């Protein structure tokens, strides 16, 4: 049997269950494994699994499923470890339905293994109740949950209006991220986002952050990737991958898009704009020994537990609300509105240029050096 395995998120990897399930599924045939989503990449690197789990492409989970569909595998597994049984099952429902919209004929079984090792863990055979699912249920001690049960218990309430999205499994005080942008904070264990004309306009169970909504812009609420709380819960020791340094001094620009930072792993230095973008980016780039210069204003939403930073990195903290202004001037004057520049020799020269840019704006700032 040819088996395609889509691994989603850092939790299934950090708990060790991704590797355990991969080894178990190898008993049933030839397996191919790829990541679905983006935040799991760092977990794959830390676990040393990049030669087992394909992380080369940034793909949403439904696209990873479709690749296996196009390859003509016999069965596809989706491995996930949600915050709760509800969040995990709702996640699977949305991924599976996005996947179905992209294929011609729904003839390959898709089986989700959710929260293995937990008392509320489950196996969901989304479109074919294979005997294999029941055999794995017995081996893993996980209940079989039918797609109808998921729909009736967790999804049906979402049908009230296409511009409302109920988010399950939240806790008060958590950040709300939509497509990698923090747009608010929860104040309840029940959360509903409300959109009009493809813009989020209201929230039930939380408080919106206007600056975040501006950065988010238009959004399809039904297909948006929504996360709450920390992006990665496990306390980990980051694994640094040695790489050949580029011959030229290459600096790259990253503005409020922390999860896109992997494409800059060949840079000598990355300039990041925004508190959380700087936190996420520095943490990821630490794995590739790449320093950052971060432009922040102290408006940190804390979406990862620890933010590792390479030695010699520099953090500018400017006046509140000025990080975007400084960032746009940097993009224009250092990068000529592009994403890369080869015009500087070292990080000190770049730092001095940024100091000049900030002084011209007449903005107060302080500099923190990572030593």
């Amino acid at each position: 049997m040819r088996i395609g395995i889509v691994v989603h998120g850092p939790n299934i990897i950090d708990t060790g269950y991704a590797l355990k399930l991969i080894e178990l599924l190898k008993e049933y045939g030839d397996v191919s494994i790829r990541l679905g989503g983006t935040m799991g990449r760092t977990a794959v690197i830390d676990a040393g699994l990049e030669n087992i789990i394909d992380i080369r492409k940034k793909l949403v989970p439904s696209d990873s499923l479709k690749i296996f569909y196009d390859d003509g595998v016999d069965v596809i597994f989706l491995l996930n470890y949600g915050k709760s049984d509800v969040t995990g099952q709702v996640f699977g429902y949305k991924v599976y339905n996005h996947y179905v919209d992209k294929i011609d004929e729904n003839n390959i079984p898709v089986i989700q293994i959710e929260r293995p090792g937990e008392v509320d863990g489950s196996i969901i055979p989304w479109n074919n109740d294979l005997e294999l699912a029941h055999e794995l249920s017995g081996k893993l001690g996980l209940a079989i949950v039918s797609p109808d049960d998921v729909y009736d218990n967790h999804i049906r309430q979402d049908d009230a209006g296409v511009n409302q999205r109920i988010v399950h499994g939240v806790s008060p005080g958590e950040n709300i991220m939509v497509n990698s942008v923090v747009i608010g904070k929860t104040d309840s264990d029940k959360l509903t986002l409300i959109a009009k004309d493809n813009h989020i306009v209201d929230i039930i169970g939380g408080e919106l952050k206007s600056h975040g909504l501006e950065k988010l812009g238009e959004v399809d609420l039904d297909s948006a990737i929504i996360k709450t709380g920390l992006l990665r819960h496990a306390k980990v020791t980051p694994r640094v991958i040695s790489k050949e340094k580029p011959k030229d001094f290459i600096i790259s620009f990253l503005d409020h898009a922390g999860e896109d930072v992997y494409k800059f792993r060949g840079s000598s230095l990355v300039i990041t704009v925004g508190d959380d973008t700087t936190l996420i980016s520095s943490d990821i780039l630490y794995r590739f020994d790449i320093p950052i210069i971060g432009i922040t204003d102290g408006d940190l939403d804390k979406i990862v537990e620890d933010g590792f930073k390479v030695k010699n990195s520099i953090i500018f903290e400017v006046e509140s609300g000025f990080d975007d202004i400084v960032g746009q001037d940097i993009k224009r004057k250092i990068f000529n509105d592009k994403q890369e520049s080869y015009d500087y020799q070292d990080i000190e020269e770049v730092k001095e240029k940024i100091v000049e840019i900030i002084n011209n704006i007449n903005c107060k700032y302080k500099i923190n050096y990572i030593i």
Side-chain angles (χ1 to χ4, degrees), residues 6-9 36-37 61-62 78-82 85-98 112 114 126 150 155 165 168 225-227:
V6 177
V7 178
H8 174 260
S62 57
L78 174 62
L79 311 184
N80 187 60
Y81 207 112
D85 59 333
V86 176
T87 57
Q89 291 168 14
V90 170
F91 160 79
Y93 173 88
K94 292 186 180 295
V95 168
Y96 174 71
N97 281 277
H98 290 321
Q112 179 176 346
E114 179 61 41
W126 283 109
V150 175
I155 305 297
R165 172 101 174 250
H168 299 273
I225 299 172
I226 300 175
K227 300 176 183 178

Side-chain angles (χ1 to χ4, degrees), residues 3-22:
I3 301 170
I5 302 174
V6 177
V7 178
H8 174 260
N11 292 338
I12 191 74
I13 300 162
D14 290 335
T15 58
Y17 273 102
L19 188 56
K20 291 177 183 176
L21 292 171
I22 289 167

